[in-house]
Amino acid sequence: MSNRDSYRPGPAAGAEVQKDGDRWTLVLVRELRHSPEKVWQALTDPTSLREWAPFDADHSLASVGPVKLSTVGTPTPQVSETQVTRADAPNLLEYRWGENDLRWQLESLGDGTRLTLWHNIDRKFISMGAAGWHICLDVLDHFLAGDPLGRIVAGDAMNFEWPRLNTEYAKQFGL
């Protein structure tokens, strides 16, 4: 049995919602046992992104400028022509994905990193987004630890308790 088969996400945790009028932002905080430099590489390098992220990038996100992000696991990949607007290695990364802004902040924490993601997302989808990122960040942590599970996104996440997480986050967010 591979590690992937035994993987189960923990309970919904480490997420909150910030509301600004009708704009909702999902905020996820994760403490990783890896250096900011190592985490930065995983957030920006296209080969690393293919291990854990819900999209592929046509080139590195480590510098400001245009990049194409393509969804994974959808019947037809949706390609977003997007912009990296901030790339301050290894501290802060900001870019658009479709209609949403993503902001990743990396802070040194002992030997590891406190990773914070802000993702502005439609209220209807915010618990789904939290559940999806929860699993992606677990997979990221395994990948960084040299114990890759392989990307778990889209329909595949249904086999890994995504519906339970979606329900738990919806309750936490009062939706």
Side-chain angles (χ1 to χ4, degrees), residues 52-69:
W52 69 272
F55 50 75
D56 286 334
D58 70 341
H59 64 267
S60 174
L61 302 178
S63 57
V64 169
V67 64
K68 279 192 183 94
L69 301 180

Side-chain angles (χ1 to χ4, degrees), residues 85-106:
T85 51
R86 284 192 65 179
D88 172 17
N91 308 305
L92 191 62
L93 177 66
E94 294 179 0
Y95 53 90
R96 286 188 71 71
W97 180 28
E99 297 301 303
N100 299 313
D101 295 306
L102 277 76
R103 177 176 195 245
W104 301 86
Q105 180 176 307
L106 294 76

Side-chain angles (χ1 to χ4, degrees), residues 4 13 18-19 24 29 39-40 65-66 75 87 101 118-119 130 154 163 172:
R4 184 183 177 89
Q18 295 174 347
K19 302 176 192 106
W24 287 50
V29 179
V39 176
W40 176 265
D101 295 306
W118 287 265
H119 183 178
Q172 280 186 20

